[in-house]
Amino acid sequence: MVATESSGVAVRCAGTIGVVASVAMNLAFLAMYINRHYFGKRRSDNGSDSSTEITAVEPSKGKPPVTQDSVVNLDQGDPALYKEFWDGTGDRATIVIPVWQTMSYFSDLSGFCWFVEPGFEREVRRLHRLVGNAITDGYHLLVGTGSTQLFQAALYALSPTENGTPMNVVSLAPYYSSYPSVTNFLYSGLYRWDGDTNTFTGDKCIELVCSPNNPDGGIRKAVIKSKSAKTIHDFAYYWPQYTPIIEAAAHDIMLFTVSKCTGHAGTRLGWALVKDTEVAQKMIKFMELNTIGVSKDSQLRAAKILKVVCDDYELSPIGKVNHLFHFAQRKMAERWSRLRAVVATSGIFSLPDELSSYCMFAKENVTANPPFAWLRCHKDGVEDFEGFLREHKIITRGGTKFGVDERVVRVSMLDTDEAFNVFIGRVASLK
Amino acid sequence: MVATESSGVAVRCAGTIGVVASVAMNLAFLAMYINRHYFGKRRSDNGSDSSTEITAVEPSKGKPPVTQDSVVNLDQGDPALYKEFWDGTGDRATIVIPVWQTMSYFSDLSGFCWFVEPGFEREVRRLHRLVGNAITDGYHLLVGTGSTQLFQAALYALSPTENGTPMNVVSLAPYYSSYPSVTNFLYSGLYRWDGDTNTFTGDKCIELVCSPNNPDGGIRKAVIKSKSAKTIHDFAYYWPQYTPIIEAAAHDIMLFTVSKCTGHAGTRLGWALVKDTEVAQKMIKFMELNTIGVSKDSQLRAAKILKVVCDDYELSPIGKVNHLFHFAQRKMAERWSRLRAVVATSGIFSLPDELSSYCMFAKENVTANPPFAWLRCHKDGVEDFEGFLREHKIITRGGTKFGVDERVVRVSMLDTDEAFNVFIGRVASLK
């Protein structure tokens, strides 16, 4: 694929500046050089590594490959599923950052938030207009080192410092397993985790609304009606590949992340749409104190990637079945279909009911394909389902971490094909 | 400069694969294409922007340019001084990240810290061996979103959760103005800011030791001798351009940052060298909860930049006067010389005494050139020196933020030549 990419460069080059056919050999030579120079060693190359100045830093490979006998780790939601898509896009979303560029702390001193790269903000707003999953007009856009950091910035911004008692933070069980630990790890006097929304009896709180919900894929709305309750909407998974887009959301604080939208988890980039100016300013204050802004390199890379996603849909609508959301939706639907079939024949497992609805993005009725399977075990004698699966070399995350019982686990649906296939095979063998 | 870079590519290309002279015209054409394709619009190009797919995202420019009449902001230590150096290095430290690379959350599951890019760790350890400013053997290396985040990780790791009373955090005044706010902003029950080390009367505390010290450039050692006291050494400025390298430091926790080493502040990357395994593990835990790791794009870029710094010194030692630390040391020395001359003739200002010592890196006696000028005003009637300078359109940071009086200010010595020149001119005009 690398060779194809660079040949593509040379081919477009020829088209662009009209290099004539007689120099094709030289171009081929040069294409090979560019390939090695800019994209490193060819994957099929068994010879010695030639000059690779620009890619001299070997990037990491993520998790090790899965084999038939190995442990399959589906605990975290590492979005490896997306690599296949990006493998096929050539160099269009490749980022090049010259060393003298983007050195300053400051991105845009004339903008609302000095550490947001204008190009990143532009592409994010464009993406929401394309997908229709959130209103951006009238909202401030903030960037964070993943949406996790922005979640903490929001807790900070919504918790008054005056009265001395921490704000209660609640979420309907099963809730995302990180909410309690991220809320409590610094023993903040501003806020504290108070558990399941259903058991909360006060009126002043921050309610976390994750929709589609991690771990079970449910469509969630805020539960607490008190005027003193504030909400943070975690929309990490509110993208067409996971769920029908049923409305353009317009809540006070909405969190998104590149990780689960395009699969670039290592870029560690999230964003928040924030309605209230004072709340947004307090969130910026948190970001200044916590990390003095956010990696510009990640913002430039994410901007480039989101631009390609939008360009694909806007400039080549006719080929949309091959664009990001359609590709990922198809992959997810295939995986869910296989998992549901295996679960149906197992006799001992169950999954939440399938949800379907009209999707404003796809412009048709579609079925939800949540990023996690919320798998329940009904087999007699299996009380600790996470432990039971671990004995079968499948690593998942047990229900107690999500505030419910231990006969249910969360399984990532976003890992590699290899890992998913081994997982399906092992589940099928369990009776 | 961009044109030169790409011509350089073509020239080396020719040398590498032996393209003969007869195709020089084609190469020139292609070099122009590569230039535009990979490095965007030529700076001297006034025509329309041709195909610039790979650089379609316009990076931010940092702070706006300074003119003779404009406000000069020397409050933050934005390291703009380094741009001149990197402008002259061509494409050797340019980073290219293909879209399908480095997507996973995980960098190295076999390493001590799963989110540290192996290439980044390798270059950091190499850099310390080159400069001789810190021992790395036997130390764990962690990465953070700037050293600010690692500072918080260290507070978290050094504060026991059991006893219910927060650890006192102290530092000798004048101390870095961010220490109090970063320590206290979340009202953590684990630690709390307790001010100047000199006024601390207990024995159990975390002492912050910044050396050379921000703001005054002093060489600092830990003051508190109690066995219950723990230390965090902030070595953001312990590099040869700022201070003689007097020893290879070997403290329990040592923090460094790319921002003040190479000038890439926007990359938001710091690192920690940590001796104790349990402390390092707790710091990793903090990083997982706070941001689920650190931007890989920034780590890859920083690795590339540090590699070029090391390569320059190790592979071309004869040209060392033109390499990073020598360049920056010369720039800093020129600026300090001009500032000291202006201050000496002012009659109303003073600076800390010049420090000099044998530098193990430069292998000669050198004078320190701190990143900040700690400027004191002796003019009658000027109580609020920061306010006085602001009236003359010079933005600085006043002494009270550093725990001392308001007749002293901190002035960044790292800004652009233009800003520094205007600053010097204005200071010279004040009597």
Side-chain angles (χ1 to χ4, degrees):
Chain A
M1 193 217 64
V2 178
T4 312
E5 278 175 22
S6 294
S7 303
V9 171
V11 167
R12 278 197 300 281
C13 163
T16 307
I17 62 170
V19 174
V20 292
S22 67
V23 298
M25 278 301 292
N26 298 325
L27 283 176
F29 250 116
L30 205 48
M32 192 196 307
Y33 176 80
I34 294 165
N35 171 27
R36 285 161 176 263
H37 192 79
Y38 284 88
F39 298 97
K41 197 177 165 194
R42 284 170 66 178
R43 290 184 187 178
S44 58
D45 195 338
N46 293 317
S48 66
D49 200 345
S50 63
S51 169
T52 54
E53 268 190 339
I54 285 193
T55 48
V57 177
E58 181 70 10
S60 59
K61 300 290 188 296
K63 292 197 289 184
V66 163
T67 63
Q68 278 302 323
D69 298 324
S70 63
V71 171
V72 181
N73 186 343
L74 301 174
D75 176 359
Q76 300 91 1
D78 204 34
L81 167 141
Y82 291 88
K83 187 168 178 302
E84 179 187 341
F85 176 81
W86 292 110
D87 271 346
T89 58
D91 65 4
R92 292 191 304 131
T94 292
I95 184 84
V96 177
I97 311 178
V99 68
W100 41 263
Q101 243 182 28
T102 319
M103 294 179 64
S104 172
Y105 283 106
F106 304 100
S107 288
D108 186 6
L109 281 173
S110 65
F112 178 76
C113 176
W114 61 266
F115 55 80
V116 172
E117 282 288 314
F120 174 72
E121 172 159 3
R122 194 166 57 240
E123 297 302 335
V124 167
R125 290 182 184 273
R126 184 181 170 204
L127 183 72
H128 283 302
R129 281 194 301 272
L130 172 76
V131 173
N133 58 345
I135 300 287
T136 60
D137 287 347
Y139 278 82
H140 301 294
L141 188 145
L142 306 182
V143 66
T145 311
S147 60
T148 300
Q149 191 183 22
L150 290 165
F151 164 66
Q152 292 159 76
L155 292 182
Y156 173 77
L158 295 178
S159 301
T161 54
E162 304 87 50
N163 64 7
T165 57
M167 280 288 267
N168 294 299
V169 180
V170 299
S171 189
L172 203 61
Y175 42 72
Y176 177 30
S177 51
S178 287
Y179 288 157
S181 49
V182 171
T183 304
N184 279 349
F185 79 114
L186 292 174
Y187 298 77
S188 173
L190 298 178
Y191 45 78
R192 68 170 164 221
W193 176 252
D194 202 45
D196 188 356
T197 308
N198 275 337
T199 63
F200 180 67
T201 52
D203 60 353
K204 198 170 175 183
C205 71
I206 299 171
E207 182 180 2
L208 311 176
V209 183
C210 184
S211 184
N213 189 44
N214 174 359
D216 68 352
I219 301 304
R220 291 281 181 88
K221 300 274 178 200
V223 172
I224 295 178
K225 301 298 175 199
S226 155
K227 276 193 190 294
S228 308
K230 297 169 178 180
T231 55
I232 300 172
H233 281 76
D234 182 346
F235 282 144
Y237 305 100
Y238 190 37
W239 296 104
Q241 62 268 52
Y242 304 122
T243 191
I245 302 301
I246 52 173
E247 65 176 356
H251 302 287
D252 289 347
I253 299 179
M254 301 186 280
L255 306 181
F256 295 87
T257 168
V258 169
S259 306
K260 300 310 188 313
C261 174
T262 72
H264 291 83
T267 289
R268 308 300 318 115
L269 216 62
W271 67 90
L273 297 172
V274 184
K275 197 181 275 179
D276 184 77
T277 301
E278 199 183 322
V279 169
Q281 281 165 339
K282 282 188 186 164
M283 289 177 73
I284 291 172
K285 180 81 177 162
F286 176 96
M287 299 296 302
E288 290 172 356
L289 289 163
N290 191 204
T291 53
I292 320 182
V294 174
S295 165
K296 289 186 174 191
D297 309 311
S298 286
Q299 291 187 65
L300 293 181
R301 188 174 188 215
K304 190 64 185 290
I305 292 166
L306 298 183
K307 179 180 187 300
V308 167
V309 173
C310 292
D311 281 353
D312 278 353
Y313 279 102
E314 291 180 2
L315 308 179
S316 311
I318 206 156
K320 69 181 181 186
V321 295
N322 295 319
H323 301 339
L324 178 75
F325 299 120
H326 285 75
F327 165 89
Q329 198 272 346
R330 203 160 51 238
K331 287 284 288 190
M332 295 298 295
E334 284 166 16
R335 289 188 176 186
W336 271 101
S337 161
R338 291 176 60 197
L339 180 60
R340 287 200 183 274
V342 164
V343 164
T345 58
S346 74
I348 57 167
F349 303 127
S350 68
L351 288 164
D353 287 342
E354 229 175 40
L355 300 174
S356 68
S357 184
Y358 183 78
C359 174
M360 290 161 50
F361 175 75
K363 297 193 171 45
E364 60 183 354
N365 241 56
V366 299
T367 301
N369 302 298
F372 299 103
W374 188 234
L375 189 65
R376 183 166 286 282
C377 183
H378 306 272
K379 186 180 167 78
D380 284 344
V382 177
E383 292 306 321
D384 170 13
F385 187 27
E386 179 190 321
F388 173 77
L389 288 174
R390 198 185 306 113
E391 286 169 19
H392 294 87
K393 296 196 279 187
I394 302 170
I395 311 294
T396 61
R397 195 172 295 182
T400 54
K401 298 194 178 80
F402 302 88
V404 296
D405 64 282
E406 60 180 356
R407 297 199 63 168
V408 62
V409 299
R410 191 193 78 166
V411 185
S412 171
M413 295 291 283
L414 303 178
D415 218 286
T416 59
D417 284 342
E418 294 71 28
F420 184 74
N421 290 339
V422 172
F423 163 67
I424 288 287
R426 290 198 191 149
V427 170
S429 73
L430 298 173
K431 301 289 168 214
Chain B
M1 192 216 68
V2 177
T4 312
E5 278 174 22
S6 292
S7 304
V9 171
V11 167
R12 279 197 300 282
C13 163
T16 308
I17 62 169
V19 172
V20 292
S22 68
V23 297
M25 279 300 292
N26 298 323
L27 282 176
F29 249 117
L30 205 49
M32 193 198 305
Y33 177 80
I34 294 165
N35 170 26
R36 286 161 176 267
H37 193 80
Y38 284 89
F39 298 98
K41 197 178 164 194
R42 283 171 67 181
R43 291 186 188 175
S44 58
D45 196 339
N46 294 318
S48 66
D49 201 345
S50 63
S51 170
T52 53
E53 269 190 339
I54 285 193
T55 48
V57 177
E58 181 71 9
S60 60
K61 298 294 188 295
K63 292 197 289 185
V66 163
T67 64
Q68 278 302 323
D69 298 323
S70 63
V71 171
V72 181
N73 186 344
L74 301 173
D75 176 0
Q76 301 91 359
D78 203 35
L81 168 142
Y82 291 89
K83 187 167 179 301
E84 179 186 342
F85 175 81
W86 292 110
D87 272 345
T89 58
D91 65 3
R92 292 192 302 132
T94 292
I95 184 82
V96 178
I97 311 177
V99 68
W100 42 263
Q101 242 183 29
T102 318
M103 293 180 64
S104 172
Y105 283 105
F106 304 101
S107 288
D108 186 6
L109 280 173
S110 65
F112 177 76
C113 175
W114 61 267
F115 56 80
V116 172
E117 282 288 314
F120 175 73
E121 171 158 3
R122 194 166 58 239
E123 297 302 334
V124 166
R125 290 182 183 273
R126 183 181 171 207
L127 183 71
H128 283 302
R129 282 193 301 273
L130 171 75
V131 173
N133 58 345
I135 301 287
T136 59
D137 287 347
Y139 278 81
H140 300 295
L141 188 143
L142 306 182
V143 67
T145 311
S147 60
T148 300
Q149 191 183 23
L150 289 165
F151 165 67
Q152 292 158 77
L155 292 182
Y156 173 77
L158 296 178
S159 301
T161 53
E162 306 86 47
N163 63 7
T165 57
M167 279 288 266
N168 295 299
V169 180
V170 298
S171 190
L172 203 60
Y175 42 71
Y176 177 30
S177 50
S178 287
Y179 288 157
S181 48
V182 171
T183 304
N184 279 349
F185 79 114
L186 290 175
Y187 297 77
S188 172
L190 298 177
Y191 45 78
R192 69 170 164 220
W193 176 250
D194 202 44
D196 187 356
T197 308
N198 275 337
T199 63
F200 179 67
T201 52
D203 60 352
K204 197 170 176 184
C205 70
I206 299 171
E207 182 180 1
L208 312 176
V209 183
C210 183
S211 185
N213 189 44
N214 175 359
D216 67 352
I219 300 305
R220 291 279 182 88
K221 299 274 178 199
V223 172
I224 295 178
K225 302 298 175 197
S226 156
K227 276 193 191 296
S228 308
K230 296 169 180 181
T231 55
I232 300 172
H233 281 76
D234 181 346
F235 282 144
Y237 305 99
Y238 190 37
W239 296 103
Q241 62 269 50
Y242 304 122
T243 190
I245 302 301
I246 52 175
E247 64 176 357
H251 302 287
D252 289 348
I253 300 179
M254 301 186 280
L255 306 181
F256 295 88
T257 167
V258 169
S259 307
K260 301 310 189 311
C261 174
T262 72
H264 292 83
T267 289
R268 308 300 319 117
L269 214 63
W271 67 89
L273 297 172
V274 184
K275 197 181 274 177
D276 184 78
T277 301
E278 199 183 322
V279 169
Q281 282 165 338
K282 282 187 186 163
M283 289 177 71
I284 291 172
K285 180 83 178 163
F286 176 96
M287 299 296 302
E288 289 172 357
L289 289 163
N290 191 203
T291 53
I292 320 182
V294 174
S295 164
K296 289 185 172 189
D297 309 309
S298 285
Q299 291 188 64
L300 293 181
R301 187 173 188 215
K304 190 64 185 292
I305 292 167
L306 298 182
K307 178 179 189 299
V308 167
V309 173
C310 293
D311 281 354
D312 277 353
Y313 279 103
E314 291 180 0
L315 307 180
S316 311
I318 206 157
K320 70 180 181 187
V321 295
N322 296 319
H323 300 340
L324 177 75
F325 298 121
H326 285 74
F327 165 89
Q329 198 273 342
R330 205 161 50 240
K331 288 284 288 188
M332 295 297 294
E334 285 167 15
R335 290 188 175 186
W336 270 100
S337 163
R338 291 176 61 197
L339 180 62
R340 287 198 182 275
V342 164
V343 165
T345 58
S346 75
I348 56 167
F349 302 129
S350 69
L351 288 163
D353 288 343
E354 228 174 44
L355 300 173
S356 69
S357 184
Y358 183 79
C359 175
M360 291 162 52
F361 175 74
K363 297 195 169 46
E364 60 184 354
N365 242 57
V366 298
T367 300
N369 302 298
F372 298 104
W374 187 234
L375 190 65
R376 184 166 284 282
C377 183
H378 305 274
K379 186 181 166 79
D380 284 345
V382 177
E383 293 306 320
D384 170 11
F385 187 28
E386 179 190 321
F388 173 77
L389 288 174
R390 199 186 305 113
E391 286 169 16
H392 294 87
K393 296 196 278 189
I394 303 169
I395 311 294
T396 62
R397 195 173 295 182
T400 53
K401 298 195 178 78
F402 302 89
V404 296
D405 63 282
E406 59 179 356
R407 298 201 61 168
V408 63
V409 298
R410 190 192 78 166
V411 185
S412 170
M413 294 290 283
L414 302 179
D415 218 284
T416 59
D417 285 343
E418 294 71 28
F420 185 73
N421 290 340
V422 171
F423 163 66
I424 287 288
R426 290 197 191 151
V427 170
S429 72
L430 298 172
K431 300 293 168 208

